[in-house]
Amino acid sequence: MDLIYWKDTERTGMVLTGLVVGLLSLFQLSIITVISTVSLAIMCFTISVRIYYQLLYILSWGDGEHPFKSYLDLDISFSGEQADLYMQKAIVMALSAVDSLKRLFFVGSVFESLKLLVLMYLVTYLGELCNGLTLLIISVIAVFSLPIFYSRRQEEVDGFIAKIQAKIDNVKDL
């Protein structure tokens, strides 16, 4: 949440820039090329830093400690119980999603299936306007900009939303 609300400006800027540049690069290159190029850049950086620290140690200007020791010592393992809990949650979510899709596609409720039909019809128009990657880029920018915009102009936005809600209620009443 600190990233989204720009508590640490430098870190948030780096994350947002990295995400947007990475997504924009997908317009020109395949996902495999982007991942391999980013991996190569990271490896070139880490190997250079490791050799630099080793050279400092050889010249007796450093202590010889591994520069990435803190990352190597990080424990990222799960206990058996945690793994079981996460798997159970994932299975429950997947089964719930499949059950919902089953009811929607096989018309468990006519009204709900019609709403999905209309939504998918509208999404086809959205697909003609822009592709999924464009929507993903817009979503990333929105995640980083809308919360801070809302926190700074909360009264104005709430008043505007109240007006829209009133119009929607009037249409529903008709």
Side-chain angles (χ1 to χ4, degrees):
M1 294 307 288
D2 288 345
L3 282 176
I4 293 173
Y5 284 102
W6 293 78
K7 300 288 184 195
D8 183 5
T9 310
E10 289 179 10
R11 188 173 173 193
T12 301
M14 288 174 52
V15 169
L16 176 61
T17 303
L19 284 171
V20 171
V21 167
L23 290 172
L24 286 173
S25 65
L26 290 176
F27 276 119
Q28 299 297 321
L29 306 167
S30 71
I31 186 94
I32 295 170
T33 305
V34 171
I35 290 173
S36 63
T37 304
V38 169
S39 298
L40 281 170
I42 291 170
M43 288 299 299
C44 287
F45 173 76
T46 55
I47 287 174
S48 299
V49 170
R50 179 72 167 110
I51 290 172
Y52 174 73
Y53 272 73
Q54 192 66 30
L55 184 65
L56 288 178
Y57 177 69
I58 290 171
L59 297 173
S60 300
W61 292 342
D63 57 4
E65 187 172 330
H66 196 291
F68 305 111
K69 184 171 178 26
S70 61
Y71 296 111
L72 291 171
D73 293 341
L74 268 173
D75 183 26
I76 57 170
S77 62
F78 291 132
S79 69
E81 294 173 0
Q82 286 176 322
D84 287 341
L85 178 68
Y86 290 135
M87 278 307 295
Q88 287 175 359
K89 286 183 180 179
I91 290 170
V92 166
M93 287 175 55
L95 290 177
S96 174
V98 167
D99 186 51
S100 296
L101 289 173
K102 178 181 68 172
R103 282 187 284 110
L104 288 171
F105 282 106
F106 295 121
V107 194
S109 167
V110 174
F111 183 67
E112 294 295 320
S113 294
L114 285 175
K115 285 195 311 188
L116 178 68
L117 178 73
V118 170
L119 178 67
M120 290 298 111
Y121 183 71
L122 293 175
V123 168
T124 60
Y125 284 109
L126 185 62
E128 288 179 15
L129 294 174
C130 57
N131 64 16
L133 195 54
T134 303
L135 293 177
L136 187 60
I137 292 169
I138 291 170
S139 300
V140 166
I141 293 171
V143 162
F144 281 90
S145 59
L146 290 181
I148 195 76
F149 174 78
Y150 179 73
S151 67
R152 289 185 179 167
R153 301 189 183 273
Q154 186 171 0
E155 294 175 4
E156 296 170 20
V157 172
D158 288 343
F160 185 70
I161 291 174
K163 290 178 184 177
I164 292 174
Q165 187 64 42
K167 298 272 186 191
I168 291 172
D169 290 342
N170 287 340
V171 170
K172 283 183 181 178
D173 290 340
L174 292 177

